Amino acid sequence: MKITRQKHAKKHLGFFRNNFGVREPYQILLDGTFCQAALRGRIQLRDQLPRYLMGETQLCTTRCVLKELETLGKELYGAKLIAQKCQVRNCRHFKSAVSGSECLLSMVEEGNPHHYFVATQDQNLSVKVKKSPGIPLMFIIQNTIVLDKPSPRTVAFVKAVESGQLVSVHEKQSIKQLKEEQGLVRNPERRRRRRKKVGGPNPLSCLKKKKKAQDTKSPASEKKKRRKRIRNRSTPKALSEQQGVEG
C-alpha cells in the first residue's frame, strides 16, 4: 500500500509541477485540524512528509491559525505546539485575526502564486480549495498522509490552457519575465516622467528675461528723450541772439 501511495503522489506532483510550476521546497500550509490529526495518529510530519512527497518540504502556517488554536484552549494544546514549530507566513490580517480556514484561503488567492499546498481536515475548506485551480490539497486518513488528486476544476482549467482558450498564471509570469529580460516591456510610469521632463522653458524664467530686457532699454530711452528736449530748448535762444546781433 505504501508503494502505491507514493506512486499516486508522484503522479499528482508531476501534474502540478508541469502545469502550475510547483517546485521544491514544497510549502505546505497547515491548519489546526491537520495538526490535531497528526498528533492523534502520532505522525512525525517533518520526517514523513519529505519521504511521502520525495522532496524537500517546508511546514508553514499563519498568525491567524496560531491565534485560533490559542483561543480554543487546552484541548488543542498539542496541535498548537506542532503549529508553533512551523514557519509563520505573513498574511494580510495584521489588525484583526480571522478564522484559520479564511486565512488559508486568502493565502492561495489569485492563482496561488507562491505554490502553497493546503493541509487540512476541514471539509468546508477542502471544498472551497477545490473550486480554485492549481492548489494541491493534503489530508490525513487512517493515520496516513494523502495528497489528493487534482480537482475537476483544476483538470478542466489545464485542458482549456492546452486548447489555447486560457493562459495559466505560471505561463503569464514566465512570459512577463522573458519580456522584461529582453527589454520588450517598459514601465509606463517612467515614460510619463520623461515626457514631463522634456518640455519648453519655464514660463517664470521667460518673464524674468523680458523684465531684464525692459530694464536695460528704459535708461537709454530716457537719456534720448532728455537730449531731444535740451536741443529743442536751445534752438529758440540761438535764434533770438542771432536776430539781436543782426539788428
Side-chain angles (χ1 to χ4, degrees):
M1 293 295 292
K2 184 177 180 181
I3 296 174
T4 56
R5 281 196 313 113
Q6 285 189 342
K7 284 185 178 180
H8 288 303
K10 185 177 181 180
K11 180 180 177 181
H12 301 335
L13 278 174
F15 178 87
F16 286 108
R17 187 185 302 110
N18 295 330
N19 295 291
F20 297 97
V22 176
R23 59 189 180 275
E24 295 183 39
Y26 304 123
Q27 301 184 85
I28 304 172
L29 283 174
L30 311 178
D31 70 348
T33 61
F34 191 85
C35 294
Q36 183 68 8
L39 180 65
R40 290 179 179 175
R42 297 181 180 179
I43 299 173
Q44 300 295 327
L45 296 176
R46 293 189 179 277
D47 296 333
Q48 295 188 23
L49 273 173
R51 294 177 186 175
Y52 175 62
L53 297 177
M54 293 167 287
E56 185 181 354
T57 61
Q58 290 181 353
L59 302 182
C60 312
T61 190
T62 64
R63 293 190 183 94
C64 294
V65 173
L66 294 174
K67 187 70 176 178
E68 185 180 47
L69 290 172
E70 288 178 0
T71 56
L72 291 175
K74 297 180 180 180
E75 295 181 358
L76 296 177
Y77 179 76
K80 185 185 74 171
L81 293 179
I82 295 174
Q84 286 177 344
K85 295 179 181 179
C86 299
Q87 299 180 14
V88 179
R89 293 288 185 264
N90 292 325
C91 61
R92 59 191 181 191
H93 312 109
F94 295 104
K95 295 182 180 179
S96 58
V98 297
S99 64
S101 59
E102 184 178 351
C103 185
L104 293 191
L105 281 175
S106 68
M107 296 291 288
V108 295
E109 285 180 348
E110 300 178 356
N112 192 19
H114 298 288
H115 310 299
Y116 287 123
F117 289 57
V118 175
T120 181
Q121 302 294 110
D122 189 349
Q123 294 296 324
N124 294 328
L125 177 58
S126 299
V127 171
K128 293 178 182 179
V129 168
K130 289 180 180 180
K131 291 181 180 179
S132 300
I135 306 174
L137 180 64
M138 302 190 72
F139 54 86
I140 295 173
I141 185 171
Q142 296 180 357
N143 298 333
T144 56
I145 303 171
V146 177
L147 175 63
D148 198 10
K149 64 181 180 180
S151 64
R153 181 67 61 88
T154 298
V155 175
F157 180 83
V158 171
K159 289 182 179 179
V161 171
E162 290 177 351
S163 62
Q165 297 177 3
L166 294 173
V167 179
S168 65
V169 177
H170 176 61
E171 290 179 347
K172 288 180 181 179
Q173 292 176 351
S174 59
I175 291 171
K176 184 179 179 181
Q177 186 176 1
L178 288 173
K179 287 183 177 180
E180 290 177 353
E181 290 176 355
Q182 295 178 2
L184 300 176
V185 178
R186 294 181 181 178
N187 193 349
E189 294 181 358
R190 292 181 179 177
R191 290 183 179 179
R192 291 179 183 175
R193 290 177 182 176
R194 288 179 181 175
R195 286 179 182 176
K196 287 181 180 179
K197 289 181 180 179
V198 178
N202 191 350
L204 296 176
S205 63
C206 295
L207 292 174
K208 289 180 181 178
K209 289 180 180 179
K210 288 181 180 178
K211 287 181 180 179
K212 289 181 179 180
Q214 290 177 0
D215 295 338
T216 53
K217 291 180 180 178
S218 59
S221 61
E222 288 178 358
K223 288 180 180 180
K224 288 181 180 179
K225 288 180 180 178
R226 288 178 182 177
R227 288 177 183 177
K228 286 180 180 179
R229 288 177 184 175
I230 293 169
R231 287 177 183 176
N232 293 331
R233 289 176 182 176
S234 63
T235 51
K237 288 182 179 180
L239 290 172
S240 60
E241 290 177 358
Q242 288 178 1
Q243 290 177 359
V245 171
E246 290 176 358

